[in-house]
Amino acid sequence: MNKIKVLVVDDSALVRGILSEIINRQSDMQCVGAASDPLVARELIRALDPDVLTLDVEMPRMDGLEFLARLMRLRPMPVLMVSTLTEQGAATTLRALELGAVDFVAKPRIGIGNGLAELAADIVDKIRIAARARVRRYPGAASATPAPNGPRSALPLLSSEKIVCIGASTGGTEAIREVLAPLPADAPALVLIQHMPAGFTASFAARLDGLCRISVHEAQHGQRILRGHAYIAPGGRHLRIERCGSSYVTVLDDGAPVNRHRPSVEVLFRSAARVLGPNALGIMLTGMGGDGAQAMREMKDAGSYNYVQDEASCVVFGMPRVAIECGAAHEVLPLLRIAPALLSRLAMDAGALRDRI
């Protein structure tokens, strides 16, 4: 079996040593080199031809994001970012994912040695996922997608006939953006799970809020679910939908991980099947594993209409593949066709409702 060749890029000798040791303890991977800055890394990439790169965000001699952008234009390869658990670190990490990084791990601000050692299982799992991920050449745009034209709804309706439930993991931050950005300001409410640690989901929601016509929030406990709004589960907390009188509300809890995840897509989708029934629409996007697939089938059996991202457009075809195998999908579509298909179905449902009235 060919081992996964990993190149570690970090300005900290301590971090380089710890990551190299963690990687070399695995039977299926090898740290083939370590670089203290992007210029050294550039030469080692040419010499060693690694399968995966781990890259610190904050680097000397060349900014980590600048290096990543150049790399993904000239020699696209799987990159796992190593980020700090700060607000600025979260914003920078999201930009790195936009530039084409497959995923990230968050290193603690203090006690880095012990912290990284405790994250060892997560690090090597993500390296394995990155080695199998589909990586696309970054086109070289200088900035994030501009906010779409058109005003937001000034007074969103307090209820909606439909609620859209979305699950995603590896590659999901950009996939979610592609689904949400085309939606009009009066779109039905959306409730989302993106596998992401605490401290990053607030920045993720804020970034999407600036790119979309709908309003995007990190969900809070007991929020009324409103048309024209999207609610993202906070990192480290499960999110489900419950009925409160004539409205639907978000419910957060700190229960045990489900399918190794908290938040878990399974928790959200199961609540949608139980509470929303045919008023739900399900979307399963790119991600490793099978979190949410069985519950998505429960949504379908309860009357939901479900979309699943196709293999060719996924960074990792794990969660969508399992959802398809479970018989949970009504339609399997390329990423860029999911939002138009959703809008078309919503228009059809609205027309049928008007006809009944």
Side-chain angles (χ1 to χ4, degrees):
M1 179 183 68
N2 292 329
K3 291 188 175 183
I4 301 168
K5 297 186 295 181
V6 185
L7 176 63
V8 172
V9 187
D10 201 292
D11 64 336
S12 165
L14 173 63
V15 173
R16 292 197 303 273
I18 293 170
L19 288 177
S20 298
E21 181 182 347
I22 289 171
I23 291 164
N24 286 330
R25 284 204 303 261
Q26 311 307 309
S27 62
D28 60 341
M29 62 184 68
Q30 176 186 6
C31 180
V32 294
S36 58
D37 65 61
L39 299 186
V40 175
R42 185 174 59 190
E43 299 306 315
L44 289 179
I45 289 170
R46 292 170 179 163
L48 301 172
D49 190 29
D51 300 308
V52 177
L53 190 76
T54 72
L55 177 63
D56 189 10
V57 171
E58 299 174 359
M59 298 290 293
R61 299 177 70 189
M62 182 187 293
D63 176 77
L65 291 182
E66 180 184 353
F67 175 66
L68 178 64
R70 293 185 183 187
L71 180 69
M72 299 309 289
R73 283 199 305 270
L74 303 174
R75 192 199 182 283
M77 63 179 297
V79 176
L80 179 66
M81 302 302 295
V82 180
S83 310
T84 52
L85 281 168
T86 64
E87 183 176 346
Q88 179 57 42
T92 304
T93 299
L94 291 169
R95 176 60 177 153
L97 295 173
E98 180 184 338
L99 291 170
V102 173
D103 207 340
F104 69 95
V105 291
K107 61 184 177 184
R109 298 178 66 182
I110 58 175
I112 290 178
N114 290 335
L116 284 176
E118 291 172 2
L119 289 170
D122 191 36
I123 291 168
V124 297
D125 281 350
K126 290 188 175 185
I127 288 172
R128 292 185 183 103
I129 293 168
R132 300 195 297 270
R134 292 175 181 80
V135 177
R136 292 171 176 79
R137 189 178 302 274
Y138 179 67
S143 60
T145 305
N149 295 324
R152 293 174 185 249
S153 295
L155 291 171
L157 300 178
L158 295 182
S159 64
S160 172
E161 184 72 14
K162 300 286 185 179
I163 294 179
V164 182
C165 298
I166 300 177
S169 187
T170 310
T173 57
E174 289 307 294
I176 288 171
R177 177 180 62 83
E178 293 285 1
V179 173
L180 266 58
L183 300 181
D186 61 349
L190 301 101
V191 184
L192 304 93
I193 302 293
Q194 165 67 47
H195 293 158
M196 187 175 279
F200 284 79
T201 42
S203 293
F204 180 43
R207 173 176 174 268
L208 288 174
D209 190 59
L211 297 173
C212 300
R213 296 184 182 93
I214 59 172
S215 297
V216 184
H217 319 266
E218 184 183 50
Q220 298 178 17
H221 182 70
Q223 275 183 301
R224 187 179 292 181
I225 297 174
L226 305 177
R227 189 180 187 91
H229 293 251
Y231 305 86
I232 298 174
R237 305 198 73 187
H238 290 307
L239 169 61
R240 66 182 189 273
I241 299 169
E242 296 291 349
R243 189 99 192 192
C244 182
S246 62
S247 302
Y248 296 107
V249 297
T250 59
V251 175
L252 303 178
D253 72 66
D254 302 317
V258 176
N259 298 325
R260 298 176 57 196
H261 297 289
R262 188 177 61 210
S264 167
V265 182
E266 193 86 8
V267 172
L268 172 63
F269 281 10
R270 184 155 288 140
S271 74
R274 174 174 52 85
V275 176
L276 298 176
N279 282 338
L281 290 151
I283 300 177
M284 185 72 85
L285 300 174
T286 175
M288 188 67 183
D291 185 33
Q294 292 290 343
M296 192 179 208
R297 176 56 195 256
E298 293 177 20
M299 288 177 64
K300 183 180 181 184
D301 292 342
S304 169
Y305 194 88
N306 297 336
Y307 301 92
V308 174
Q309 186 176 351
D310 74 349
E311 182 174 6
S313 65
C314 281
V315 174
V316 179
F317 189 57
M319 287 158 52
R321 176 183 57 79
V322 179
I324 294 167
E325 291 174 351
C326 289
H330 288 93
E331 297 186 47
V332 179
L333 297 172
L335 176 61
L336 295 181
R337 287 181 53 196
I338 291 177
L342 176 66
L343 292 172
S344 177
R345 181 158 194 90
L346 289 166
M348 181 176 66
D349 289 347
L353 179 63
R354 283 193 301 269
D355 290 343
R356 290 201 302 270
I357 295 173

